[in-house]
Amino acid sequence: MLKSKIEKALNKQIELEASSSQYYLAMASWTEAQGLTGTSEFLYQHSDEEREHMLKLVKFINERGGISVIPGLSKPPTTFNSLASVFESLLEHELNVTDSINNVVDLCLSEKDYTTHNFMQWYVSEQLEEEALARTILDKLKMIGNDKGGLYMFDRDLSLLANQKPSQ
Ligand code: FEO
C-alpha cells in the first residue's frame, strides 16, 4: 500500500508530466505553423512521450492501491519568440522535471519505500537523456545563428531524430 506522502508526490509528478505534454504540444503546433515540419514532428513525438510518462505513473499508483488524480491543465503559450526560445524553455522545463523527480526519489528513501524508489529509477535515466538532448539541440541552434541553409538542415535532422527514436 502506498503511503499518502508518496501518493501525493507521485500525483504531483503526474501533473508535471501532463503539463509537459501540453506545453510541448503547443511548441509542436507553433513550429508546424512556422513551416518547421521536422521540428514539429519531433515535438509532437516528445509531447506523446510525456503523456506516456504520465500514464506510467497513473498505472503505478493504481497498481499499488493508491488513487491517481487526473489533473486539469493550464493553457500553455500559443506563440513563442523564436525557435531558440522554444528549446530554451524546453530545457528549463526539463530541469524542473528533474528536480521534481529527485525530490520524489529523496522522499522514497526517507519513507523507506524501495518499490517506488526502484520504479522512479526509469525516470532518473530518462531525464538524463532528455536534458542531454535538449542541450545538444540548443548548441546546434547557436551554431546555426541566422543561417537559413543551416536551419533547413536542422529541421531535417529533427525529423530524422523523431523517426529514429523508439516510442516508449
Ligand atoms: Fe517526462 Fe521530459 O519529463
Side-chain angles (χ1 to χ4, degrees):
M1 188 74 181
L2 270 183
K3 286 187 180 169
S4 74
K5 262 190 193 174
I6 303 276
E7 184 184 87
K8 205 169 152 196
L10 292 176
N11 271 315
K12 202 173 140 235
Q13 192 61 37
I14 285 181
E15 201 168 341
L16 200 48
E17 301 292 348
S19 78
S20 305
S21 176
Q22 203 72 346
Y23 195 22
Y24 301 161
L25 184 58
M27 289 173 172
S29 174
W30 182 78
T31 50
E32 189 170 45
Q34 307 300 306
L36 296 161
T37 322
T39 309
S40 73
E41 241 180 292
F42 172 83
L43 289 165
Y44 279 124
Q45 188 189 58
H46 203 4
S47 168
D48 285 347
E49 283 173 16
E50 298 302 349
R51 186 166 188 279
E52 287 297 318
H53 298 175
M54 177 198 69
L55 275 177
K56 256 172 117 82
L57 284 154
V58 168
K59 292 185 175 177
F60 179 78
I61 294 175
N62 293 342
E63 237 172 62
R64 299 277 314 278
I67 294 174
S68 299
V69 182
I70 307 302
L73 299 171
S74 51
K75 189 178 158 204
T78 39
T79 58
F80 296 87
N81 291 332
S82 63
L83 188 56
S85 80
V86 165
F87 283 98
E88 276 157 15
S89 304
L90 189 143
L91 176 59
E92 198 184 320
H93 195 81
E94 287 302 329
L95 293 173
N96 284 335
V97 174
T98 303
D99 273 353
S100 172
I101 285 168
N102 288 341
N103 288 337
V104 179
V105 171
D106 266 354
L107 185 68
C108 290
L109 289 177
S110 64
E111 293 294 315
K112 297 190 180 353
D113 181 344
Y114 301 115
T115 309
T116 307
H117 182 270
N118 186 45
F119 168 76
M120 289 305 293
Q121 295 313 301
W122 182 87
Y123 287 84
V124 171
S125 327
E126 182 67 17
Q127 282 313 114
L128 191 69
E129 270 179 39
E130 289 196 0
E131 279 182 29
L133 183 59
R135 286 198 177 92
T136 307
I137 291 174
L138 273 173
D139 285 346
K140 280 190 186 187
L141 281 173
K142 271 184 206 135
M143 218 158 46
I144 292 165
N146 289 323
D147 177 42
K148 291 258 190 276
L151 185 59
Y152 176 81
M153 305 266 277
F154 171 87
D155 192 55
R156 207 189 48 184
D157 280 359
L158 282 207
S159 169
L160 289 174
L161 211 55
N163 289 304
Q164 264 169 21
K165 251 188 137 189
S167 57
Q168 349 228 331

